[in-house]
Amino acid sequence: MLTPNSAYYHPHKEYSGWVRLFHWIRALAIFALMLTGFYIAYPFLEPHSSVYHGMYFLQAYIRSAHIMLGFILIAISLFRFYLFFFDKKSRAERMSVKGVFSQRTWIEQLKVYFLIGHRPEIKGVYNPLQFVAYFSLCMMLVIIALSGIVLYYNVYHRGLGGALEPCFRWFEVLCGGLSNVRYIHHLATWGICLFIPVHIYMVVFHSLKFPDGGADVMISGRRYLKG
């Protein structure tokens, strides 16, 4: 909701339709991957003879869903990286990196989160803390994708798995073996689990604190700028 001085604000298109679409698809894929991944790690449901015979393959079904969702997440993330680096509409996002190297911007932005200061003027879409948080998420997605591919081709040795093995064997060697790859896969998952509440808090904080748009920006693609 805008303030009584909302007449002084005008809409500005900040995110393209592709960016918003991939954001929500990626979010749904991550939640589904977390649910299926935790079940694969701890299959707590035990089928009984009185249940439909398909239940005997519940673990296989969930594993298949996890694999398909994983490749969907990889494809979306790759295209999202492309948009960030090469899409003209994402230029404002690329400009946000300048604030990361500004000590003054960091201090002023932290004051905002501690409710003792005013929001600084930033160049781009993200403030320094947001940019570092999103960059960390991207790094975790890269790690979880690489480790997931290694785990995939160690189960499926033919077809796509056989084609991927020569390309990604280096990551398995770098990690020191399959056991470590699995551990790193789980560690990156928990990292994403920690990122989600922080991300939601920051979005809600901006939605309530500032009148230029918060959560609705990733829905409408518009932010309201003063002037």
Side-chain angles (χ1 to χ4, degrees):
M1 179 180 294
L2 299 181
T3 63
N5 296 323
S6 59
Y8 297 102
Y9 288 83
H10 66 275
H12 168 72
K13 189 66 174 294
E14 190 158 290
Y15 296 111
S16 66
W18 284 113
V19 170
R20 286 177 281 139
L21 176 65
F22 288 141
H23 173 274
W24 291 112
I25 295 178
R26 184 167 59 176
L28 293 174
I30 287 174
F31 276 109
L33 282 164
M34 287 167 56
L35 293 174
T36 54
F38 284 132
Y39 181 81
I40 292 171
Y42 181 68
F44 54 89
L45 295 178
E46 181 181 356
H48 299 283
S49 59
S50 59
V51 185
Y52 172 62
H53 290 296
M55 285 290 290
Y56 285 115
F57 301 101
L58 179 61
Q59 176 77 340
Y61 292 148
I62 292 179
R63 181 183 291 274
S64 297
H66 188 78
I67 291 171
M68 288 186 286
L69 287 165
F71 280 113
I72 290 173
L73 179 62
I74 290 172
I76 292 173
S77 298
L78 287 174
F79 196 50
R80 183 65 179 88
F81 290 156
Y82 170 80
L83 290 178
F84 177 83
F85 287 106
F86 301 106
D87 185 23
K88 292 182 179 179
K89 296 180 181 178
S90 298
R91 182 175 179 272
E93 291 186 81
R94 295 191 292 271
M95 290 177 59
S96 303
V97 72
K98 295 181 180 179
V100 177
F101 302 100
S102 172
Q103 183 180 5
R104 178 184 175 185
T105 306
W106 270 101
I107 294 173
E108 292 180 351
Q109 188 62 51
L110 289 174
K111 285 182 179 180
V112 172
Y113 286 118
F114 285 105
L115 303 177
I116 57 175
H118 300 285
R119 185 170 60 170
E121 293 292 331
I122 59 174
K123 293 183 178 180
V125 176
Y126 310 118
N127 65 57
L129 189 58
Q130 287 176 319
F131 189 89
V132 170
Y134 296 146
F135 179 80
S136 300
L137 174 65
C138 291
M139 293 299 99
M140 287 186 288
L141 288 175
V142 170
I143 292 172
I144 209 167
L146 290 172
S147 56
I149 291 173
V150 172
L151 294 172
Y152 170 78
Y153 74 63
N154 272 280
V155 176
Y156 302 94
H157 303 287
R158 297 183 179 180
L160 180 60
L164 292 174
E165 182 175 2
C167 302
F168 293 93
R169 172 69 73 176
W170 62 270
F171 186 78
E172 182 179 352
V173 175
L174 182 65
C175 294
L178 191 61
S179 178
N180 290 337
V181 171
R182 182 178 181 273
Y183 176 76
I184 291 172
H185 194 73
H186 284 223
L187 196 63
T189 301
W190 283 110
I192 294 175
C193 289
L194 292 175
F195 168 84
I196 291 174
V198 174
H199 175 60
I200 294 175
Y201 169 79
M202 293 173 71
V203 170
V204 173
F205 178 88
H206 278 269
S207 298
L208 299 176
K209 181 73 174 175
F210 305 111
D212 60 351
D216 56 319
V217 177
M218 196 50 72
I219 298 175
S220 66
R222 295 181 177 86
R223 186 180 297 279
Y224 293 89
L225 302 180
K226 196 170 184 179

